[in-house]
Structure formats: C-alpha cells, structure tokens
Amino acid sequence: MKTRKRVLVTGGAGFLGSHLCERLIGQGCDVLCVDNFFTGQRENVAHLIGNPYFELMRHDVTFPLYVEVDEIYNLACPASPIHYQFDPVQTTKTSVHGAINLLGLAKRTKARILQASTSEVYGDPTIHPQTEDYRGNVNPIGPRACYDEGKRCAETLFFDYHRQFALDIKVIRIFNTYGPRMHPDDGRVVSNFILQALRGQPISLYGDGLQTRSFCYVDDLIDGMLAFMATPPSEPGPLNLGNPHEITIRALAEKIIAMTGSASDLVFHPLPADDPRQRRPDITKAQALLDWAPTIDVEDGLGRTIEYFRARMG
C-alpha cells in the first residue's frame, strides 16, 4: 500500500498557501496547513475542511512546532507592506525565528524544506532583470527592511543548515504574483486597482506610475514551486520564479479600468520610501532546470482575478 506523503504548509491559509494546499491534496498528499490568521483567511481553505487528508492548525511559527512530516513548505510571513509594516518587529521574528524553528523540525524529521523567499531580497535593483547571483541593493534601516532583511536572513539560515547539517533545502525567490484569494486589504497593486475600479473609486498611483513590475498568475507560480521541490538535493537554489513580461504600473491601471468597464480616474501620490523603480526576474535558471515558464498571459489572469473580486463583492 502506498503511503501518502505528509506535507506541512506554513502560511497555508494565505493567498499562495491555500492554492498550494489544494494542489498538494490533488497530488495525493496528506496536508497539514498551519497559519496564525494574521493575514491568512479561513475562507481560503474552507472548501478543504472535511477532506480526510487536510488538517488546519492555528499556530505561530515563531514558536516551535512538533509534528511528523516528510516535506515542509515555509510560506509563513505577511507579504504586503501594509501588513508587514504593521508590526515590523514581529515580521522580522516570523522570518528569522520561523526559519530557525522549521529548519530544526526539518533536521529532526529529515524532511525536505522549501523557503518561500522574495524578489524583495534584491531591494531597489541596480541591474535589470535580476539574476539569482545579484546580491541586491537593500536599505537595512528603512521601513521595508523588516521584510527584506528578514527574508535575506532566512535564506542565510537555510544555506547554513544546508552546509552544516547537509539539510535538503530549496529556496525560491517569488516575484509579484496575483490571482483569486488575494487579501482584499493588502494594499498590493493588482487587488488595489481591481477593487478601486469595481467600486468606481479613483485609482491610486504612486510617483509617475512609470515604475515597472512583472506579474505572475498564481497557477503558474505553484507549478514552478512544485516542480522545484521535486528536483534532486543537489539543486538547493536560490531560484527566481516569476513572469519576465514587464509592464508599467500606469499601463496596468489602464488595462484594469478597460477590463472592468470602470469610470475610475487615475490619481497620483508621492512614491513610498525604498519603492523599487524596476522589478523583473531573469528566469533562465528555472527554464533550464525545470523547463518552466509562465503560460497564463496578463489578460487571462486579470480576467479570472476580476471575476473573483466581483463575486466576493456580491
């Protein structure tokens, strides 16, 4: 009889975590979803409750967790500026203490462990697009540092456990990702623009709106995450995962206005401190290693996301 793989997903009730839990159950895994519900939402995984191979646990990863697992996906950390700047000390603790606790669990159980790191480790980049060997341009004392430096320290811990204890690790750097189940109040650009457009409110742009981002639809991101987790132990990362198609924030706003049929106007505000002017992944490594690249174009992905928020608004 085949034994089901026991998989722990921290931050499992969040945007990315809930999609990951769903996919893992679809692959025949026994999933333990852990979340402290600071930004995660129970409704994201409500459809999984009752499945005999899904368990939901309220727990904060800054405290140790004693469970038996075969694989760990560490997605626990608020990921939008509004949320991670609300309690910056706790944000740093979540990244650093959380990494220490989960690496300790992986060491004891001999589990493979994946760290969901971020493109924010590159800061306001001086090279474009960003490759994995770029060391970044991060302000260590700015208002975003709790997240940026917390994630950088988590990467350090993962690679030190890998070198010191031969731990089987995977580190991915996630670029802007969007789709259904984004938190409506997270202040991220896609959810902000869609909600403002659907409500007929002015759409808020910061600076001149000509800063660029690249947006990856959630299904593509999860495909890449699962594919990398299945690679040999000799491939620890870090690995960029994101969409290399670049778009200005203003063009994104105009596209969402057109797709929603909104009459919203554009309004401009000062650019926040340390906000990067450009952000686009070089995914050459992921393409070569995983034969992976995003397949869902921005119109298709935005259409699905708009319908999600439209239905949520009732």
Side-chain angles (χ1 to χ4, degrees):
M1 180 179 174
K2 185 181 177 184
T3 304
R4 284 177 173 264
K5 188 186 293 180
R6 300 166 300 179
V7 183
L8 167 63
V9 180
T10 67
F15 163 47
L16 292 180
S18 63
H19 285 275
L20 177 61
C21 287
E22 197 172 65
R23 291 282 289 278
L24 288 167
I25 287 173
Q27 291 185 354
C29 297
D30 192 338
V31 175
L32 172 59
C33 169
V34 166
D35 208 294
N36 70 349
F37 296 106
F38 174 57
T39 58
Q41 301 177 93
R42 195 176 293 270
E43 67 192 68
N44 286 343
V45 291
H47 63 295
L48 300 175
I49 295 171
N51 186 306
Y53 302 110
F54 178 79
E55 182 181 355
L56 179 61
M57 177 191 295
R58 182 188 291 268
H59 180 81
D60 191 313
V61 297
T62 60
F63 298 93
L65 182 62
Y66 302 101
V67 292
E68 303 304 317
V69 292
D70 303 307
E71 285 185 353
I72 302 167
Y73 289 81
N74 182 30
L75 277 62
C77 191
S80 71
I82 284 176
H83 290 144
Y84 67 63
Q85 290 173 1
F86 175 77
D87 187 345
V89 172
Q90 184 63 24
T91 295
T92 304
K93 284 182 176 179
T94 300
S95 285
V96 178
H97 292 188
I100 291 168
N101 289 331
L102 291 163
L103 287 162
L105 174 62
K107 182 177 172 228
R108 180 181 67 80
T109 59
K110 298 180 171 56
R112 173 172 287 187
I113 181 168
L114 178 143
Q115 167 68 7
S117 191
T118 172
S119 60
E120 295 292 336
V121 300
Y122 299 125
D124 188 4
T126 56
I127 68 163
H128 192 74
Q130 292 79 58
T131 54
E132 288 88 350
D133 58 0
Y134 175 54
R135 295 182 183 178
N137 178 35
V138 175
N139 177 2
I141 59 171
R144 300 170 73 105
C146 59
Y147 184 68
D148 303 2
E149 297 288 30
K151 289 287 192 179
R152 284 161 69 97
C153 186
E155 287 195 17
T156 300
L157 286 161
F158 266 68
F159 278 90
D160 281 339
Y161 266 76
H162 176 61
R163 285 184 286 261
Q164 190 170 341
F165 304 113
L167 200 64
D168 187 357
I169 68 162
K170 304 288 178 185
V171 175
I172 58 171
R173 291 174 177 165
I174 299 172
F175 284 69
N176 290 63
T177 305
Y178 70 101
R181 300 185 204 146
M182 293 184 81
H183 197 296
D185 302 313
D186 66 4
R188 294 196 219 191
V189 62
V190 172
S191 50
N192 252 19
F193 286 0
I194 290 174
L195 285 170
Q196 288 171 335
L198 290 175
R199 292 167 178 160
Q201 298 169 340
I203 290 187
S204 305
L205 296 176
Y206 295 88
D208 56 13
L210 299 181
Q211 62 269 44
T212 65
R213 296 291 184 271
S214 52
F215 297 97
C216 185
Y217 189 69
V218 61
D219 289 357
D220 283 329
L221 191 284
I222 299 298
D223 284 344
M225 189 185 298
L226 291 168
F228 187 47
M229 192 61 149
T231 56
S234 57
E235 299 288 352
L239 186 77
N240 286 341
L241 290 179
N243 193 326
H245 175 70
E246 199 170 0
I247 185 172
T248 68
I249 299 300
R250 180 166 187 155
L252 177 72
E254 290 167 346
K255 187 179 290 288
I256 288 172
I257 287 171
M259 291 180 71
T260 55
S262 175
S264 295
D265 295 320
L266 302 180
V267 293
F268 294 85
H269 303 280
L271 196 66
D274 301 327
D275 192 56
R277 293 290 305 175
Q278 289 183 302
R279 183 66 61 71
R280 174 163 67 92
D282 183 312
I283 61 167
T284 304
K285 188 174 174 182
Q287 287 173 314
L289 179 63
L290 310 176
D291 191 25
W292 174 89
T295 60
I296 298 169
D297 65 34
V298 70
E299 285 80 11
D300 187 8
L302 284 175
R304 300 183 201 184
T305 311
I306 288 165
E307 287 314 303
Y308 166 77
F309 280 110
R310 204 190 294 274
R312 186 183 171 113
M313 290 170 65

